[in-house]
Amino acid sequence: MTAVDGPPVTGQEPERPIGFGRMKRKEDPRFVRGRGRYVDDVQLPGMLHGAVLRSPFAHARILSVDTSAAEAHPKVRAVVTGETLAGLGLAWMPTLSMDTQAVLATDKVRFQGQEVAFVVAEDHYAARDAIELIDVEYEPLDPVVNARHALDPEAPVIRDDLEGRTDNHVFDWEAGDGAATEAVFARADVVVRQTMLYPRVHPAPLETCGAVADMDPVDGKLTLYSTTQAPHAHRTLYAMVAGIPEHKIRVVAPDIGGGFGNKVGIYPGYVCAVVGSILTGRPVKWMEDRSENLMSTSFARDYHMTGEIAATRDGRILGVRVDVLADHGAFNSTAQPTKYPAGFFHIFTGSYDIEAAHCRVTGVYTNKAPGGVAYACSFRVTEAVYLIERMLDCLADELGADPAELRMRNLLRPEQFPYRNKTGWTYDSGDYPACLRKALDMAGYEELRKEQSERRARGELMGIGLSFFTETVGAGPRRHMDILGLGMADGCELRVHPTGKAVVRLSVQTQGQGHETTFAQIVAEELGIPPEDVDVVHGDTDQTPFGLGTYGSRSTPVSGAAAAVVARKVRDKARIIAGAMLEASPDDLEWTKGRWSVRGDPSVTRTIQEIALAAHGSLELPEGVEGHLEATTVYNPPEMTYPFGAYVCVVDVDPGTGSVKVRRFVAVDDCGTRINPMIIEGQVHGGLADGVGMALMEIIGFDEDGNCLSGSFMDYLLPTALEVPAWELGHTVTPSPHHPFGAKGIGESATVGSPPAVVNAVLDAIGVRHADMPLTPGRVWQALQGGEVEA
Ligand code: CDP
């Protein structure tokens, strides 16, 4: 029986005994008992340990690397340098954005924390001790730290390894219609311009990155346990980079302690572990520590944006245009579909009915860690939502309009869906005004405004901030989305055993989102068997079909759809077998959850369990029908799905210290059909905390020499239960018309939608048009004194 976990937080959720509905997570018993098995829990016989020597400089030429003392250490079994790798043709590797990245530096180091050498030793401590014995002679070079100066003619060229390279330019990209936008701006009554930075932040998963590489010298098979959000894509890349045949590589992603985009790319440490295992003939484990994770693995955001919004005097938005300078760090290793160098930023027109829009994005190299990953967002949607939702508040400020009314006035209307926006995205479905109305009602918006003016009269700083966001998730249709040439379709396999218990094999890899539960629920919903009877297999390339992995909230829109399609195929096969069992034509059978029955006579029926047994038995099957009950599919999404939501944040600001207390947060989300409301609420809670963190606390900062100032959790602050309120959640449901059961993604909605609501609330409290995140007490206080606040 499906466990039911108390009443929903808000709204009435139909509770179903089978399939969709509230159900406790199948994976939690092992997590709460400490029985999860993470990469660092993997212990193999004879296993050695690796450690990475990292650069202390942001930009420096390597003059020499002396490893003799480290090699003489009694417990050291191998020392790998850039030169060793160059001899194997592995000193550089391709990035997911078609750039190259140094595995171990040979010529120069290009960011502080870059990988310079790798030591393999009998234990972790000896490996760490031995990296201290390596003597590297550096010639420091001027670093490029500020992206705004990366293209100055006198800026040092960071990527002189690239042939013919004379500057730090990565790409130029634009979307929308420049001329049409120019025209609407020319006839607008009001134009508001605002520069803003979405600062560099870090996904900071609970578990840092690591791998255990085990190259079997006898059969030539490499088994790699690693913290990966995309096991199949990684396997293909290792085959391409290392020249090991793909069928001789097994990538296993065991339990993963959070990914958030941080574990999509391939890091040098993984490759070094593989090389270490090849050189020593023994398994090699490499796990980075927290500082290494914060300083060297993929960051997110770092978008310098200048937005302009054009409107009529009475608040009708006409156009939006944006110029972006994107700081990509030392190597362009963002993970996003190939044709979208600025990710999905061009969804920046948001949720509004706008006549014209245009954006230009320029990417630059700087001497900082590479990345630009989609931290809990679908490839730069977070930056886009922040831009438009801040611009809406700037416009409201200019017009003296109420931010809720301004949004309501310009939101897309239900009858406009499917809606093609001005930069080419086709939004699938939505009732935006109903969603905003619900959020405002839950918050008691009118009352809050009254309370605010009473408090203001007493000199108290209370702020109310809104955001309305539209995401584009479920990458993506093969016809225009691939990563390194690999199309973004997902495979899925379903097998029903003779006793009616099922195994579904997925290409996506959960990192804590609860796939073992929700994917079992999808199969349960389609086959009418209890979710407890469905085992979900994932995270092992030897056990699962090919697919591109979990990020950008794509699991439910793509693999979730695949799971439903494959279950329907099994159901169709079961119908034919039931026909044979009942000696009836399959056309005369009808499906009710869990059984095929003769139409008009429900007593003549066979359950899916009975059919499964017959499928494996001696029943004479119709011509062309093979025995057993199983199916496979590859799901190529026809379009993206578009979750959306309306958020209201209430804050109190201490005028003396500038500290911000988030008093209330109302979040109304719409992710189409809801599989498991309890899991959805958990996803939203986490994302809202992310948003409060980014808005108020988090930044990966650098000094002018390129030293990373945020290399520990003492400096990179994450929100705790003390900084966040009790979330008030609501939802609306507008199913996606093209998804098999109408679901859209939810994993990242709250991370995407919440930062502008918090920032808008703080700025509303202090009466300042703009200040850059993170709105730390110091910055808020500075803004209160009338100072310009730039990150
Ligand atoms: O790709 P990722 O798993 O991070 O994101 P997602 O597809 O949005 O799913 C996050 C979790 O929420 C999964 O367990 C989903 O199955 C669940 N979910 C749901 O219950 N109903 C939805 N409409 C969307 C997601």
Side-chain angles (χ1 to χ4, degrees), residues 34 53 92 99 120-121 148 160 367 387 409 412 414 439 477 484 488 522 558 579 591 612 635 637 684 688:
L53 175 69
W92 293 81
D99 193 0
V120 182
R148 292 191 194 94
D160 45 0
N367 288 112
L387 182 278
R409 157 124 223 236
L412 293 165
L484 276 186
M488 302 190 81
I522 295 169
V558 188
W591 174 256
Y635 185 79
V684 173
L688 295 176

Side-chain angles (χ1 to χ4, degrees), residues 70-91:
E71 276 161 15
H73 188 292
K75 288 189 168 178
V76 166
R77 296 293 161 261
V79 179
V80 183
T81 62
E83 215 173 293
T84 326
L85 293 184
L88 300 167
L90 288 175

Side-chain angles (χ1 to χ4, degrees), residues 438-717:
K438 183 162 184 174
L440 296 174
D441 289 348
M442 281 175 61
Y445 187 70
E446 318 279 306
E447 288 304 309
L448 283 173
R449 284 288 176 209
K450 270 191 217 130
E451 181 193 339
Q452 182 184 39
S453 59
E454 284 161 21
R455 284 182 184 267
R456 274 199 183 144
R458 300 200 294 267
E460 294 172 23
L461 302 178
M462 168 186 168
I464 306 159
L466 266 66
S467 70
F468 196 104
F469 66 92
T470 300
E471 284 188 278
T472 173
V473 308
R478 284 171 52 137
R479 65 186 182 281
H480 50 244
M481 285 182 202
D482 71 274
I483 293 184
L484 276 186
L486 301 172
M488 302 190 81
D490 282 356
C492 189
E493 297 170 6
L494 176 62
R495 184 179 304 166
V496 185
H497 296 314
T499 55
K501 312 291 182 196
V503 178
V504 63
R505 295 169 191 277
L506 311 175
S507 65
V508 286
Q509 163 58 32
T510 181
Q511 307 114 43
Q513 298 94 323
H515 291 179
E516 287 168 32
T517 309
T518 48
F519 281 76
Q521 288 184 273
I522 295 169
V523 173
E525 176 80 10
E526 297 292 340
L527 286 189
I529 60 177
E532 289 78 4
D533 287 357
V534 185
D535 202 22
V536 176
V537 176
H538 59 94
D540 181 340
T541 55
D542 272 8
Q543 301 289 334
T544 58
F546 187 85
L548 274 215
T550 300
Y551 39 85
S553 298
R554 65 184 296 280
S555 303
T556 306
V558 188
S559 271
V565 168
V566 83
R568 288 174 193 181
K569 282 190 178 181
V570 164
R571 208 164 71 191
D572 289 345
K573 183 170 176 183
R575 177 184 200 153
I576 300 170
I577 297 168
M581 292 169 81
L582 296 169
E583 295 178 357
S585 160
D587 294 341
D588 292 338
L589 301 183
E590 66 181 359
W591 174 256
T592 46
K593 222 172 214 178
R595 58 183 63 231
W596 284 108
S597 315
V598 171
R599 194 171 289 117
D601 187 357
S603 66
V604 185
T605 187
R606 288 294 179 270
T607 64
I608 204 84
Q609 290 85 353
E610 290 165 336
I611 299 167
L613 194 55
H616 290 83
S618 55
L619 176 79
E620 195 70 39
L621 294 173
E623 184 83 19
V625 178
E626 293 177 340
H628 303 177
L629 195 53
E630 57 199 30
T632 63
T633 199
V634 175
Y635 185 79
N636 175 30
E639 285 294 344
M640 304 287 285
T641 67
Y642 293 76
F644 58 92
Y647 291 176
V648 183
C649 177
V650 182
V651 300
D652 296 300
V653 177
D654 183 330
T657 63
S659 71
V660 176
K661 178 157 181 50
V662 181
R663 193 206 306 173
R664 288 183 63 197
F665 202 108
V666 172
V668 177
D669 275 281
D670 192 320
C671 59
T673 304
R674 295 154 66 85
I675 302 164
N676 185 330
M678 188 195 79
I679 286 183
I680 291 173
E681 284 155 13
Q683 297 284 297
V684 173
H685 287 180
L688 295 176
D690 275 348
V692 169
M694 285 184 283
L696 302 181
M697 306 159 79
E698 296 175 35
I699 184 169
I700 297 283
F702 295 86
D703 71 11
E704 58 192 20
D705 294 324
N707 294 308
C708 180
L709 304 176
S710 319
S712 81
F713 280 160
M714 296 293 283
D715 308 295
Y716 189 76
L717 301 181

Side-chain angles (χ1 to χ4, degrees), residues 10 64 244-245 331 341 466 491 511 558 619 658 695 724 749 764 776:
T10 54
S64 63
I244 304 170
F331 306 103
L466 266 66
Q511 307 114 43
V558 188
L619 176 79
V724 298
S749 292
D764 180 54
T776 56

Side-chain angles (χ1 to χ4, degrees), residues 25 60 275 359 415 435 443 485 542 553 556 585 594 645 668 685 718 723 760:
R25 302 198 325 165
V275 172
C359 73
E415 64 274 15
C435 182
D542 272 8
S553 298
T556 306
S585 160
V668 177
H685 287 180
L718 295 176
E723 282 83 24
N760 287 343

Side-chain angles (χ1 to χ4, degrees), residues 411-428:
L411 281 178
L412 293 165
R413 297 178 308 283
E415 64 274 15
Q416 288 177 281
F417 290 87
Y419 170 78
R420 191 171 160 83
N421 87 348
K422 300 302 171 199
T423 54
W425 297 101
T426 303
Y427 299 6
D428 52 356

